[in-house]
Amino acid sequence: MPNLDETLYFIVNPLAGNERSMKVWEKAEKMLKSNAVPHQVFFTVEKGHALRLTKEILSRTHRDTRIIAVGGDGTINEMVNGALPFPHAIIGSLAAGSGNDYVRGIQKTKDIEQALRLFQDNAHKAIDIGQYETADKGGYFINSLGMGIDAEIAAEADRSPLKKWFNIVKAGKLVYLILFIKQLFTYKPGSMELIVDGKHQILKNIWFIVIANQPYFGGGMKISPQSKLDDGRVNVIAVQDFPRLKLLAVFFTVLWGGHLNIKNVDSYTGKMIKMKNHHSAKIQADGEIIGTDEVSAKVLKEKIRVLIKD
């Protein structure tokens, strides 16, 4: 492989998946050592550390460099934000979190062995990512960005003791279903302004709007089955004006993508998106809370290289 740094760089989030990430890493490390694969490992100690480590690693390398997150979607989000200024970055992930939507929808590896083979084969391509700006910060997302009940669920999941116990029995994504049912009876939908490529509309009784770069979010829900990774556009899904119990029925159709055929589930595609909530609502990017009430986003076509199966 010409012009490639032969070393694989791993950034492990020890807390991901209720510390399941350490078990994933220990298994992966044994395989790497048994096959004499050159590698280095770094461990995060706080939120934001994966971003800083990514920048530090890539600032010391000058050839194509494979850098792997061992954690969940939050860890890969930090890695993306750290890697973007470095065109020689090639990113990947060993799934070790609760949701793992990046691996499910983009990398599409099924286990550690398959992922490690992919990383060593260096099979990669450039894909789109999203860039966002809120009142307080800017950054990038690789899976999805959403406003509404999905962000409320993401915020509660991050602090819920349920996440810990479900991760212990390897059923972490079920916590999203439980918290959805809880939020279903407490969240108050309101009006939102949505602008897609300059086309403006007011949507009423909105439960959530999701800007999707790939099909999956929320731990395996197929929110945007038509999303493509390299078409220079994002899909926008808006769910509005549903009674609470009917929304629960709609939720289950999202598991296989059947919700797009239901009235009041609207889908758009575009390159530049703006959302503004007329009351208070959280905003999530790749499951991380990034602000409230108003956000702008745009697509950066084929902006980052990822390790990916053909």
Side-chain angles (χ1 to χ4, degrees):
M1 292 177 286
N3 299 317
L4 178 72
D5 189 323
E6 296 292 340
T7 301
L8 289 175
Y9 296 88
F10 292 86
I11 295 178
V12 181
N13 177 358
L15 299 180
N18 189 38
E19 302 181 9
R20 186 171 69 90
S21 57
M22 290 304 298
K23 294 180 180 179
V24 170
W25 170 244
E26 289 167 5
K27 184 175 180 180
E29 189 174 38
K30 287 180 181 178
M31 296 178 186
L32 292 165
K33 288 181 176 179
S34 66
N35 290 288
V37 178
H39 65 279
Q40 291 187 33
V41 59
F42 304 82
F43 297 90
T44 65
V45 297
E46 62 187 359
K47 199 177 237 359
H49 195 195
L51 186 153
R52 299 196 303 273
L53 285 170
T54 300
K55 288 184 174 181
E56 290 170 11
I57 292 166
L58 293 170
S59 66
R60 298 199 308 264
T61 61
H62 305 287
R63 297 181 294 177
D64 284 356
T65 300
R66 292 161 293 173
I67 184 165
I68 316 300
V70 184
D73 291 312
T75 309
I76 197 73
N77 176 269
E78 288 192 23
M79 182 173 285
V80 167
N81 278 269
L84 203 66
F86 300 92
H88 61 289
I90 306 172
I91 69 168
S93 178
L94 282 176
S98 300
N100 302 315
D101 287 313
Y102 174 86
V103 169
R104 182 179 292 105
I106 296 177
Q107 190 171 285
K108 299 180 181 178
T109 48
K110 296 181 179 179
D111 52 36
I112 296 173
E113 294 88 345
Q114 192 178 62
L116 290 178
R117 287 196 299 271
L118 171 67
F119 304 157
Q120 293 171 74
D121 291 342
N122 191 35
H124 64 81
K125 67 179 290 186
I127 68 167
D128 304 340
I129 64 166
Q131 182 177 19
Y132 70 82
E133 185 174 348
T134 69
D136 301 318
K137 65 183 295 186
Y140 305 93
F141 63 95
I142 198 163
N143 293 327
S144 66
L145 181 149
M147 179 188 289
I149 192 173
D150 66 308
E152 294 290 341
I153 293 168
E156 188 170 0
D158 191 51
R159 62 179 184 269
S160 173
L162 288 174
K163 192 173 183 179
K164 173 182 176 181
W165 295 112
F166 276 94
N167 280 329
I168 289 174
V169 296
K170 298 182 180 181
K173 66 183 182 181
L174 290 180
V175 74
Y176 295 101
L177 172 59
I178 293 172
L179 294 178
F180 171 77
I181 293 172
K182 177 185 175 183
Q183 287 286 340
L184 186 65
F185 295 98
T186 58
Y187 183 77
K188 295 180 180 180
S191 297
M192 291 192 196
E193 295 180 44
L194 175 63
I195 305 173
V196 180
D197 289 347
K199 296 181 180 179
H200 180 278
Q201 58 185 310
I202 302 293
L203 304 176
K204 296 183 178 180
N205 296 318
I206 282 284
W207 286 96
F208 64 88
I209 299 176
V210 171
I211 302 170
N213 190 44
Q214 59 116 320
Y216 295 97
F217 93 141
M221 291 184 287
K222 204 169 187 179
I223 189 67
S224 183
Q226 298 173 354
S227 284
K228 297 180 181 179
L229 298 173
D230 56 0
D231 62 351
R233 306 177 72 83
V234 287
N235 286 55
V236 183
I237 312 298
V239 176
Q240 62 179 317
D241 207 21
F242 280 103
R244 296 179 188 274
L245 291 180
K246 188 174 180 180
L247 183 65
L248 181 59
V250 172
F251 175 88
F252 285 105
T253 70
V254 178
L255 295 175
W256 65 87
H259 58 293
L260 294 183
N261 297 318
I262 297 174
K263 183 180 177 182
N264 294 339
V265 177
D266 298 319
S267 179
Y268 315 88
T269 61
K271 298 179 180 180
M272 301 189 70
I273 318 296
K274 291 185 178 181
M275 297 188 293
K276 182 177 182 180
N277 202 302
H278 287 177
H279 67 297
S280 181
K282 291 183 176 67
I283 306 163
Q284 62 84 16
D286 295 340
E288 301 296 307
I289 302 303
I290 59 168
T292 60
D293 302 341
E294 188 171 357
V295 63
S296 299
K298 64 180 179 180
V299 182
L300 303 180
K301 182 171 172 57
E302 297 180 351
K303 187 64 174 178
I304 195 164
R305 288 186 294 168
V306 299
L307 292 153
I308 193 170
K309 293 178 64 180
D310 292 332

